[in-house]
Amino acid sequence: MFKDYNMNQLIFPLDLEVKLQENDIAFHVHHLVESIPLEALEPFLRNEGCPAYHPRMMLKIILCAYTQSVYSGRKIEALLKDSIRIMWLAQGYEPSYRTINRFRVQPEVKELIRQCFVQFRCQLVQEKLIDQEAIFIDGTKIEANANKFTFVWKKAIEKYHKSLIEKSNQLYNDLLEKEILPEIKRESDEQLTLEELDQMVRKVDEVITEYDQKIEASSSVAERKALRGERKFPKKVRKQLTDYIVRKQNYQRDFEIFGTRNSYSKTDHDATFMRMKDDYMKNGQLKAGYNVQIATEGQYALAYSLFSNPTDTLTLIPFLDEIEKRYFELPKHIVADAGYGSEQNYDDILSKRKREALVTYNMYLKEQKKKYKQNEFNPDNWQYDEENDTYTCPNNKHLPFKYKSERTDKTGFKREYKVYECEDCSGCPFRSSCTKAKEGNNRKLMVNEKWEHQKEYVRAKLSEEKAGAIYRQRKIDVEPVFGFLKANLRFTRFSVRGKSKVDNEMGLALMAVNLRKFTANR
């Protein structure tokens, strides 16, 4: 005996919500998107044309698809026909893949995604899943949707541009010598501008036109042949100048795209070539990508930002600014690894933001080792006389204070150093081990007092029981978010191009991670 099964009998459709399990992720997606205030939806209102799909519905189906590791617009469209949870969220609507793709890259969606993070954090606070005592910051690099071999390097462009300047200046001087064109008024003696090159082309055109008129007016075959021979050089010059103008325009466009970066991809101008961890060929190959920074607590991503520079050190201050401006007030403790430890970052957190910086520096772990502490040639282990402001080297020679020095880095941040110099290094038996200075020069020691005080602050803080426990929490708080994103959701490469679009997709992916974890914990 079998259960009744009849394909010819009419069955009334039931509400799809009944088919979903009690703790289905679709419910959490629904509640999160519904918590977004109405003000965030105003930019989507249109008074003309066909009524658009509701932005809440569009955001729900895209978020739900991302939680299932589905990022393709066509595959999301297919889910609208065969996934119960997405059919319920769409309530019978079936937007095409084009509509889905256009929606998720709109600039207005950025505010919806931000509201998702704000509302999600409020929910975590209400349910006491986070204590708001610290945020854990880290970064990872994710490959851009760009061709690996369409790289443009700043050093190469600078080299070619310099060569172009030399060639154009030489050509200008040659034309003056041969009296083909008169001297033009130049803005700078270093290089010719695009307007000046264009002016030279017009002058050469006039010379060519004069030759054309002479050839046309002449009836002598020999004379016409001679004039055509003389016309060859101006015509060749005109072709060169036209080429120089095109190249100069391209180089100027390249420099605008570079900004402060050293490279970019031709297929995604906002992507920078970076060294990725997943180097399968083990040859240090660079790939176009973005540096993603996130702030977490309780293994939930509470804020994120994208940067084009590969180093984490320069991303901390702008990321903290963005968190304060767009997400939430910073908690008491800012926790990050040694990649963020710098004088500028410590100064910003401690002095400007009045927060505690639980951020190590590059030499922190090495300083804890016995070998480092017992190295007599390490200046950190040299005896210091505070009263006379002198150091004593292993050969019992004094290094008195000589003068102060100031250095400015690429970002404009100034560092002050005190320079100490040994009295006499000649004949020192430890010279080869102590210094690399040339024979006849004495050992110099540069000390940044502010940096030393900051390092002492970090060592003291991390030696405290509570602060040390918070810092040890970093690895098990922020790293699992990246692991879940890349391993479980298989989000290892962006599917859109351009920083604005990539920013939206990153927000959707990180919120999908949050929803998956939140649902599992429930």
Side-chain angles (χ1 to χ4, degrees):
M1 187 175 180
F2 299 102
K3 291 183 179 181
D4 184 49
Y5 176 70
N6 188 350
M7 292 289 292
N8 298 319
Q9 185 175 349
L10 179 65
I11 299 175
F12 289 106
L14 295 174
D15 187 353
L16 292 173
E17 184 178 356
V18 179
K19 297 268 186 187
L20 298 175
Q21 295 181 7
E22 185 178 354
N23 189 39
D24 194 274
I25 197 168
F27 293 125
H28 298 296
V29 172
H30 167 70
H31 293 313
L32 175 65
V33 177
E34 288 295 327
S35 67
I36 296 174
L38 286 171
E39 292 78 15
L41 305 178
E42 290 178 359
F44 294 90
L45 291 174
R46 299 288 184 273
N47 296 323
E48 299 176 353
C50 178
Y53 290 112
H54 202 290
R56 290 195 198 273
M57 184 271 288
M58 296 295 295
L59 184 58
K60 285 177 187 178
I61 62 175
I62 294 172
L63 259 180
C64 193
Y66 271 59
T67 62
Q68 308 307 307
S69 304
V70 178
Y71 311 114
S72 163
R74 291 179 184 272
K75 290 182 179 179
I76 295 174
E77 181 186 21
L79 288 178
L80 286 162
K81 296 178 175 63
D82 57 22
S83 170
I84 293 176
R85 56 168 62 97
I86 292 191
M87 289 166 66
W88 173 69
L89 289 172
Q91 289 294 296
Y93 290 110
E94 295 182 0
S96 69
Y97 73 91
R98 290 190 183 91
T99 305
I100 293 167
N101 288 339
R102 280 197 297 264
F103 177 82
R104 62 176 168 178
V105 298
Q106 285 184 62
E108 294 85 359
V109 174
K110 187 176 179 67
E111 175 60 19
L112 291 186
I113 296 170
R114 186 190 74 84
Q115 286 290 346
C116 282
F117 278 90
V118 172
Q119 299 301 328
F120 185 76
R121 182 176 179 275
C122 291
Q123 188 175 351
L124 295 177
V125 172
Q126 287 175 0
E127 299 193 17
K128 297 181 179 180
L129 294 175
I130 58 175
D131 55 18
Q132 306 181 76
E133 190 175 8
I135 56 168
F136 304 87
I137 294 174
D138 203 357
T140 189
K141 296 172 181 64
I142 296 182
E143 190 177 346
N145 182 15
N147 192 315
K148 299 175 189 175
F149 307 106
T150 58
F151 43 76
V152 182
W153 301 105
K154 192 173 188 177
K155 284 186 178 180
I157 298 300
E158 286 174 344
K159 176 185 172 184
Y160 298 143
H161 187 233
K162 184 179 178 181
S163 174
L164 175 64
I165 291 170
E166 292 173 355
K167 288 178 180 178
S168 58
N169 286 337
Q170 183 62 45
L171 181 60
Y172 173 71
N173 293 331
D174 290 345
L175 292 174
L176 286 180
E177 287 179 11
K178 295 181 180 180
E179 298 181 351
I180 292 178
L181 56 80
E183 187 173 355
I184 60 176
K185 188 178 179 180
R186 297 177 60 177
E187 292 181 12
S188 170
D189 293 333
E190 294 180 4
Q191 61 175 306
L192 291 158
T193 64
L194 283 170
E195 291 77 13
E196 290 164 355
L197 287 170
D198 191 53
Q199 187 179 347
M200 289 172 65
V201 170
R202 290 198 299 271
K203 295 288 185 184
V204 172
D205 277 339
E206 292 175 5
V207 173
I208 294 172
T209 304
E210 288 179 9
Y211 276 110
D212 291 341
Q213 291 173 351
K214 288 178 182 178
I215 292 169
E216 207 172 306
S218 176
S219 57
S220 170
V221 175
E223 186 182 359
R224 287 163 65 94
K225 186 175 181 181
L227 288 170
R228 279 196 289 268
E230 292 175 11
R231 190 182 60 177
K232 283 183 180 179
F233 180 72
K235 291 183 78 173
K236 180 182 177 183
V237 167
R238 190 192 186 285
K239 187 176 180 182
Q240 282 181 320
L241 287 171
T242 306
D243 178 58
Y244 290 166
I245 289 173
V246 173
R247 285 171 59 189
K248 195 172 184 69
Q249 287 174 338
N250 290 337
Y251 294 153
Q252 288 183 356
R253 179 181 60 86
D254 288 334
F255 286 126
E256 288 175 6
I257 295 171
F258 282 128
T260 57
R261 299 178 295 161
N262 292 321
S263 64
Y264 77 85
S265 170
K266 291 180 183 177
T267 46
D268 185 354
H269 290 174
D270 294 329
T272 309
F273 280 82
M274 307 176 182
R275 207 172 299 280
M276 305 286 178
K277 285 184 178 178
D278 51 340
D279 184 14
Y280 305 113
M281 300 297 290
K282 305 296 181 185
N283 58 358
Q285 183 185 15
L286 300 175
K287 295 179 184 176
Y290 291 90
N291 187 356
V292 181
Q293 298 290 313
I294 66 168
T296 69
E297 188 179 356
Q299 296 184 357
Y300 293 104
L302 306 180
Y304 76 99
S305 188
L306 265 73
F307 295 90
S308 297
N309 52 303
T311 54
D312 290 336
T313 312
L314 301 177
T315 63
L316 183 62
I317 294 175
F319 184 37
L320 292 177
D321 288 338
E322 188 164 351
I323 292 174
E324 286 187 312
K325 182 180 178 182
R326 302 185 67 244
Y327 293 99
F328 53 86
E329 185 181 350
L330 292 174
K332 182 180 178 182
H333 299 97
I334 310 294
V335 188
D337 62 17
Y340 299 86
S342 72
E343 182 182 342
Q344 186 177 7
N345 290 343
Y346 288 139
D347 186 61
D348 180 80
I349 296 172
L350 299 173
S351 303
K352 295 181 182 178
R353 305 184 197 273
K354 307 298 181 184
R355 300 294 192 274
E356 292 188 3
L358 302 184
V359 183
T360 55
Y361 48 92
N362 285 334
M363 295 294 291
Y364 177 76
L365 291 177
K366 195 172 182 180
E367 287 177 356
Q368 316 301 319
K369 295 182 179 179
K370 187 176 179 181
K371 183 180 178 181
Y372 183 90
K373 293 179 179 179
Q374 292 182 349
N375 183 4
E376 59 180 0
F377 299 108
N378 184 354
D380 289 343
N381 300 326
W382 288 1
Q383 185 180 350
Y384 174 65
D385 184 354
E386 189 174 352
E387 185 177 346
N388 297 317
D389 197 10
T390 60
Y391 284 87
T392 304
C393 73
N395 197 30
N396 292 321
K397 296 284 186 179
H398 294 298
L399 284 81
F401 168 72
K402 291 294 183 181
Y403 58 90
K404 286 188 177 180
S405 174
E406 190 177 84
R407 292 185 179 180
T408 306
D409 60 17
K410 293 180 181 179
T411 61
F413 184 75
K414 295 181 179 180
R415 293 177 172 82
E416 293 184 354
Y417 294 89
K418 292 180 71 175
V419 181
Y420 299 81
E421 186 175 349
C422 185
E423 297 171 332
D424 185 15
C425 285
S426 59
C428 178
F430 307 121
R431 184 181 180 88
S432 59
S433 303
C434 183
T435 180
K436 294 180 180 178
K438 294 180 180 179
E439 197 67 40
N441 294 337
N442 296 324
R443 168 70 190 267
K444 286 185 179 180
L445 180 62
M446 298 183 70
V447 179
N448 185 339
E449 288 186 330
K450 188 176 182 180
W451 174 239
E452 295 301 326
H453 290 321
Q454 289 172 344
K455 291 197 294 184
E456 183 59 37
Y457 162 84
V458 172
R459 288 192 291 265
K461 267 293 170 189
L462 295 183
S463 64
E464 295 176 7
E465 185 177 350
K466 182 181 178 181
I470 292 174
Y471 181 76
R472 288 191 294 273
Q473 185 76 13
R474 186 196 67 81
K475 285 185 180 179
I476 60 173
D477 197 291
V478 66
E479 299 290 354
V481 176
F482 290 135
F484 199 103
L485 178 72
K486 294 182 178 182
N488 293 7
L489 286 188
R490 300 189 296 279
F491 189 90
T492 57
R493 192 172 188 262
F494 291 110
S495 58
V496 291
R497 295 175 178 178
K499 190 174 180 181
S500 176
K501 298 175 183 179
V502 166
D503 198 300
N504 285 358
E505 186 172 38
M506 191 72 252
L508 292 168
L510 287 171
M511 186 48 63
V513 172
N514 288 342
L515 289 165
R516 283 277 292 264
K517 181 174 176 59
F518 186 78
T519 305
N521 288 344
R522 299 280 286 195

